[in-house]
Amino acid sequence: MLRLILLGAPGSGKGTQADRIKESYQAIKISSGDLLREEIRKKSDLGLQAKQFMDKGELLPDALMIGILEKITQDFEKRGQSYILDGFPRTLPQAEALMEMMKKQGVSPSSVILIDVPEDELLRRLSSRWTCKNCSATWSYPEGKADNVVCKQCAGELYQRDDDKKETILNRMEVYRKNTEPLIRFFEEKGLLKRVQGLGDPDSITVRIYEILENI
Ligand code: AMP
């Protein structure tokens, strides 16, 4: 059973890579961001609460996120369902809670893969990113999207996420540096971290991730 954690700044390609590798491992992608956006779409209590944080590029409270993810991963564990975590953990308390949860079940992450992308490239990617309303796939249109352009994967409608606006992007980068970057050290010390250079075409990055997974 695969229990993979993907780490990386916003725009590093975690979601894209998770989508590419999940089928080969019969794994399900657990994207904390997609999950929250779905709650916003449904206008649930959680969604209304989440929106206030997300629109500013801030993180939701740890206790809330840990509760949600604990439930999902425990359920997957019971069913023997492989999973890829995209966007969780994002803080040290979340990482500690996840490790504790796994320890109780007598398991540990298969690997933690950091997708490393320089900040100027992240800014460029996020500000030109268009997301599919239907399947959450993302596409890049640096000059803006033409009216008739739809998702190349499912023909769904494309939109620009509220938090992919310039000021919010800068805040998300800051939040990443402060809260999420310390996780690199945390997982490195546990001997779990593998780095993948995240520049270049998505295919070559997928190959690098496969190489790591084949060796675990
Ligand atoms: P993402 O789609 O992963 O970039 O996440 C979008 C937004 O959802 C983040 O900027 C946060 O506001 C919120 N979010 C997603 N995952 C987490 C998490 N693990 N902890 C706290 N907030 C999160």
Side-chain angles (χ1 to χ4, degrees):
M1 179 177 163
L2 182 77
R3 303 170 185 90
L4 177 64
I5 300 173
L6 289 183
L7 280 189
S12 58
K14 302 184 297 291
T16 304
Q17 293 301 329
D19 281 333
R20 285 164 163 251
I21 53 184
K22 65 184 182 194
E23 255 109 65
S24 319
Y25 288 87
Q26 283 105 48
I28 291 181
K29 171 175 91 166
I30 308 175
S31 157
S32 47
D34 283 352
L35 217 133
L36 296 171
R37 280 183 287 277
E38 176 60 16
E39 293 299 318
I40 293 178
R41 205 187 53 76
K42 290 195 295 199
K43 298 195 167 69
S44 69
D45 286 347
L46 171 61
L48 293 176
Q49 199 183 342
K51 191 167 175 3
Q52 295 174 19
F53 291 94
M54 291 170 79
D55 282 353
K56 289 184 274 179
E58 300 289 342
L59 298 181
L60 273 75
D62 282 332
L64 183 66
M65 294 309 295
I66 291 168
I68 297 171
L69 271 293
E70 198 165 43
K71 220 164 145 265
I72 301 175
T73 50
Q74 273 172 2
D75 179 48
F76 281 18
E77 208 57 61
K78 265 188 227 141
R79 291 192 279 132
Q81 170 63 61
S82 289
Y83 59 85
I84 303 171
L85 287 173
D86 159 21
F88 182 94
R90 235 177 170 103
T91 64
L92 274 178
Q94 291 181 14
E96 280 158 1
L98 179 66
M99 292 305 283
E100 194 52 38
M101 216 152 70
M102 286 186 162
K103 197 167 151 200
K104 274 192 205 142
Q105 285 158 339
V107 300
S108 59
S110 313
S111 186
V112 180
I113 299 182
L114 168 70
I115 307 182
D116 222 351
V117 178
E119 195 164 316
D120 53 348
E121 169 69 6
L122 294 170
L123 293 174
R124 197 190 59 73
R125 285 189 192 175
L126 290 174
S127 51
S128 61
R129 178 162 83 171
W130 288 76
T131 304
C132 175
K133 268 191 183 166
N134 183 44
C135 73
S136 304
T138 57
W139 308 100
S140 178
Y141 294 100
E143 309 302 331
K145 172 187 77 66
D147 285 348
N148 55 348
V149 170
V150 292
C151 175
K152 290 180 209 159
Q153 195 163 274
C154 73
E157 189 187 336
L158 299 180
Y159 76 109
Q160 265 188 311
R161 278 170 46 176
D162 284 340
D163 58 350
D164 281 346
K165 297 199 178 102
K166 187 89 196 240
E167 320 73 65
T168 318
I169 292 174
L170 293 177
N171 192 37
R172 286 165 70 203
M173 291 298 166
E174 180 63 28
V175 166
Y176 174 76
R177 271 194 300 270
K178 194 164 142 245
N179 297 283
T180 314
E181 245 173 27
L183 299 193
I184 298 173
R185 183 88 187 274
F186 175 86
F187 286 117
E188 218 158 29
E189 281 169 357
K190 298 192 178 319
L192 287 168
L193 193 91
K194 297 272 185 280
R195 285 171 195 266
V196 162
Q197 161 71 259
L199 276 180
D201 76 299
D203 286 344
S204 59
I205 298 161
T206 310
V207 170
R208 286 178 221 146
I209 295 179
Y210 276 138
E211 280 166 6
I212 294 174
L213 295 179
E214 275 159 21
N215 287 312
I216 53 176

